[in-house]
Amino acid sequence: MGLATDPPALAADLPSQAAPHTAAHDDLASLKVVPARHYGRWAAAAAVLVVVAQFAHGLATNPGWDWGTFADFLTLDTIIKAVGVTLQLTLYATVLGFVLGIVLAFMRLSDNPVLQTVAWTYIWAFRSIPLIVQLLFWFNLSYLYRRLGFGVPFGPTLWSFSTNALVGAIGAAVIGLSLHEAAYSAEIVRSGVISVDGGQLEAAAALGIPRLRQLRRIVLPQAMRAILPNAANQVISLFKGTSIVSVMAIGELFYQVQVIYGRNGRVVPLLMVATVWYILLTTLLSIAQYYVERYFARGADRNPPPTPLQRARSFARDLRGAAARRTEAVQPGRLALRTQGGAE
Amino acid sequence: MSTQVMVDVHGVHKSFGPLEVLRGVDLQVRTGEVTVILGPSGSGKSTLLRSINHLEKLNRGYISIDGELIGYRRSGSRLHELKEREVLRQRTHIGFVFQNFNLFPHLTVLDNIIEAPIAALRRPRQEAVRQAERLLARVGLADKANAYPRQLSGGQQQRVAIARALALEPKVLLFDEPTSALDPELVGEVLDVIKDLARAGTTMIVVTHEIGFAREVADTVVFMDGGVIVEQGPPSELLDRPQHERTRAFLSKVL
């Protein structure tokens, strides 16, 4: 663009002995473009890099990090098992939370005022109670209800269990996390559904498509685009949030790490063990999120952008191509340089 | 022309809150005929069309298609509201083409067309696909079966929407301003498809502002204003010798 506005000035600068005017014009296309130099950016980048380097240097040299202990514990059996418990809690609470959340979302969206009110109240209640308070309630459920049973409402009980036998610590944790998740995921699902254009449901209704299929086949896939980023946030925050259940003495990652540093006093390296596992697994979740989102974006873009892998491949291809061209074109390159020098 | 009545609209009233949009509309459309509805915006044309396939519930009056009451069942002196499932079944007899196409953007053109025949009529997939391919060829888009709607122009999308409505083999096709969302140069290709359907004897009701199209294709032109039908008749009469002042005023503005 800049070049296009400049030609008269450039042509005037060219000494008349270099070439006739018309030739100079033709040459513009082949001239080398010198990018603008951003000195401010370079200075800012350098300053930031110095800080980063200092931090990295500290990580490597400060004995307090105690990387030896970190390495000893990172893949210890107990830790791996604890990671497994954390993943299980995340999985169960995500699945149960979203199933209940979808039900609640459609209750809130339904025309039935009773269902609407119940769903709204549920969401209100479970968003209002801090997770840790709720978990302790569930942990102490047997204080309120010694036995749980099925039977005729307000009538005789047909079948009952001791609460403690039915709901252990893990059970209480899964219930607490799921109910908490359900309130949030209900709102996430609802936000996705109301983001779908009303004309879509109308078109589906006009075509006589059955109600459930309208939701499953037409609305939900489109709602997924709005749901997924929020849902991924929610799953990741739940994944890390499972560390809260350490108050119930469940052997998940954070609890196990606390137990170990309580014994050996190496607090920082063991916190790093937990940190690295949380980061690693969150990274995997983020990558999964990218590909799931891509799947549900089909039809949304005329030309879907390439995946990072495809981009890396095409970048490598370009590099190879450029290298090949450079070796071929050494001579003409030099010539062009000399012409430019002459022009100055 | 056959004289059998396909669509019978009788004494229809419809209000949105305090606003009375339809104030007693009577209209009959015979099998194989094309009826074009003209009128200024807010005259109730779209509401009437949407009432015919029960996207809007009536406050008074009734609509029947091929002798079947839409949205209600009569027993003795009472009308019982139909359940949603039964209304959905009735809608499979009524094709509807929207102003904004309303194609399903996450499904390919082919999947858009076969969705309703498979889901609502329980046709085998293979049969639905073969029929969809025939319909796509008919609207001139045989090569677009695997494209997504957003990869198509507006005119192409509307032609897909018409193919999608035809896939149910409806008794009547309703068009709600099918070319109003299109660039002027794309209007022709959509109107050509509709003309083609008219020649094939499809019963249609078209709400539009395309007077030239009405003149060429319509058997009956209906002029609506203020929630009532002001007058109706063959295009040669209504368009060239309108009886009512309001019709004349409207036509003088759009012609």
Side-chain angles (χ1 to χ4, degrees):
Chain A
M1 274 291 135
L3 259 183
T5 56
D6 283 349
L10 259 175
D13 283 348
L14 285 170
S16 53
Q17 77 264 25
H21 271 270
T22 49
H25 261 290
D26 290 344
D27 278 345
L28 273 182
S30 63
L31 291 185
K32 195 178 170 206
V33 177
V34 182
R37 298 196 158 85
H38 303 279
Y39 299 108
R41 284 189 204 169
W42 296 353
V48 170
L49 281 179
V50 168
V51 175
V52 171
Q54 266 184 315
F55 179 69
H57 180 254
L59 277 183
T61 56
N62 187 334
W65 291 109
D66 194 357
W67 294 111
T69 309
F70 167 83
D72 289 343
F73 281 96
L74 184 63
T75 53
L76 199 72
D77 275 356
T78 346
I79 295 290
I80 300 283
K81 213 174 285 170
V83 170
V85 174
T86 293
L87 281 176
Q88 271 179 19
L89 285 172
T90 310
L91 179 72
Y92 295 152
T94 299
V95 172
L96 291 174
F98 267 92
V99 168
L100 183 55
I102 290 173
V103 173
L104 284 166
F106 283 106
M107 280 168 70
R108 265 205 81 178
L109 291 166
S110 81
D111 294 330
N112 184 330
V114 175
L115 297 188
Q116 274 176 25
T117 311
V118 169
W120 184 89
T121 310
Y122 177 96
I123 292 165
W124 165 78
F126 279 85
R127 287 202 307 195
S128 307
I129 308 170
L131 179 56
I132 192 161
V133 174
Q134 210 214 114
L135 285 169
L136 290 173
F137 262 117
W138 286 104
F139 197 52
N140 294 298
L141 185 67
S142 63
Y143 169 77
L144 283 174
Y145 302 99
R146 294 261 144 155
R147 302 185 72 75
L148 295 176
F150 292 106
V152 182
F154 303 106
T157 303
L158 303 176
W159 198 358
S160 78
F161 315 87
S162 145
T163 302
N164 272 338
L166 188 70
V167 185
I170 293 252
V174 168
I175 292 174
L177 289 170
S178 303
L179 295 181
H180 176 81
E181 280 299 291
Y184 286 92
S185 45
E187 288 295 87
I188 292 173
V189 170
R190 193 172 66 92
S191 78
V193 171
I194 59 181
S195 77
V196 176
D197 178 35
Q200 292 290 308
L201 264 186
E202 212 162 59
L207 286 166
I209 297 169
R211 181 82 182 152
L212 261 182
R213 183 148 171 142
Q214 288 178 20
L215 296 178
R216 192 169 49 79
R217 176 95 169 135
I218 307 299
V219 175
L220 273 182
Q222 295 186 63
M224 283 308 265
R225 293 209 70 206
I227 290 175
L228 275 169
N230 294 322
N233 259 356
Q234 194 59 28
V235 173
I236 286 171
S237 100
L238 168 68
F239 168 63
K240 293 176 301 178
T242 53
S243 54
I244 284 185
V245 309
S246 60
V247 298
M248 298 156 81
I250 291 170
E252 49 74 53
L253 181 56
F254 186 57
Y255 178 80
Q256 211 53 264
V257 163
Q258 281 180 308
V259 167
I260 296 173
Y261 70 58
R263 265 200 319 257
N264 67 9
R266 309 274 176 93
V267 177
V268 169
L270 276 154
L271 284 180
M272 279 310 286
V273 167
T275 305
V276 165
W277 275 111
Y278 283 122
I279 289 179
L280 180 72
L281 293 166
T282 303
T283 308
L284 293 180
L285 280 172
S286 304
I287 294 173
Q289 175 191 358
Y290 175 83
Y291 283 96
V292 177
E293 273 183 27
R294 211 181 133 80
Y295 171 78
F296 280 102
R298 69 200 190 286
D301 299 315
R302 286 179 175 215
N303 299 300
T307 64
L309 203 64
Q310 288 168 338
R311 224 173 293 158
R313 272 200 208 118
S314 87
F315 181 67
R317 205 165 37 236
D318 288 351
L319 275 187
R320 275 199 302 276
R325 245 173 288 129
R326 214 172 303 131
T327 46
E328 274 169 30
V330 169
Q331 284 308 101
R334 259 193 217 139
L335 267 176
L337 244 152
R338 209 183 301 140
T339 325
Q340 265 184 351
E344 274 168 13
Chain B
M1 283 285 156
S2 153
T3 53
Q4 198 202 340
V5 172
M6 175 58 84
V7 181
D8 190 6
V9 176
H10 189 89
V12 163
H13 288 254
K14 169 70 187 175
S15 303
F16 293 111
L19 183 70
E20 204 174 14
V21 184
L22 296 179
R23 301 186 297 154
V25 174
D26 293 276
L27 177 69
Q28 295 193 327
V29 176
R30 278 183 283 278
T31 305
E33 283 194 0
V34 179
T35 300
V36 169
I37 304 181
L38 303 175
S41 36
S43 59
K45 330 179 280 290
S46 289
T47 306
L48 174 62
L49 209 61
R50 291 162 59 82
S51 304
I52 292 176
N53 76 343
H54 211 60
L55 282 176
E56 307 289 352
K57 273 186 196 169
L58 305 181
N59 297 113
R60 200 134 58 85
Y62 69 82
I63 293 172
S64 69
I65 289 185
D66 205 11
E68 187 180 352
L69 212 51
I70 297 299
Y72 300 91
R73 179 168 43 81
R74 185 179 173 166
S75 71
S77 61
R78 290 176 189 211
L79 288 182
H80 295 271
E81 227 176 88
L82 289 183
K83 294 227 175 81
E84 190 178 3
R85 182 182 310 187
E86 297 162 301
V87 173
L88 287 170
R89 184 191 56 76
Q90 289 187 328
R91 289 207 188 111
T92 62
H93 300 309
I94 311 165
F96 200 100
V97 176
F98 295 86
Q99 181 176 346
N100 296 317
F101 330 136
N102 288 340
L103 292 177
F104 306 130
H106 61 300
L107 301 180
T108 62
V109 164
L110 186 79
D111 285 335
N112 261 279
I113 299 175
I114 63 175
E115 175 65 18
I118 291 175
L121 304 182
R122 300 183 174 282
R123 285 216 188 111
R125 190 186 157 84
Q126 281 228 306
E127 194 187 316
V129 168
R130 271 200 303 275
Q131 183 209 25
E133 282 164 351
R134 275 200 305 278
L135 287 169
L136 279 175
R138 188 166 169 191
V139 298
L141 292 171
D143 55 332
K144 298 291 186 192
N146 294 314
Y148 284 98
R150 287 205 180 106
Q151 295 166 330
L152 304 180
S153 73
Q156 290 171 330
Q157 289 190 50
Q158 192 60 299
R159 279 143 70 195
V160 172
I162 294 171
R164 181 173 73 171
L166 286 171
L168 291 167
E169 290 160 15
K171 293 175 178 173
V172 54
L173 259 182
L174 311 177
F175 292 84
D176 188 7
E177 304 200 23
T179 58
S180 297
L182 297 177
D183 288 345
E185 60 194 309
L186 301 178
V187 168
E189 65 185 54
V190 172
L191 292 184
D192 284 344
V193 169
I194 304 176
K195 286 176 199 166
D196 197 45
L197 293 172
R199 275 192 290 274
T202 315
T203 312
M204 295 191 277
I205 304 178
V206 187
V207 170
T208 185
H209 295 294
E210 301 287 333
I211 306 291
F213 168 81
R215 190 186 298 278
E216 187 179 345
V217 178
D219 296 292
T220 308
V221 180
V222 172
F223 176 69
M224 281 184 75
D225 192 18
V228 293
I229 292 179
V230 176
E231 65 179 301
Q232 56 179 306
S236 55
E237 277 176 30
L238 189 126
L239 296 176
D240 299 329
R241 291 184 298 279
Q243 302 297 307
H244 286 258
E245 187 49 44
R246 269 192 292 176
T247 318
R248 273 197 286 276
F250 176 78
L251 288 174
S252 72
K253 275 184 215 146
V254 296
L255 276 177

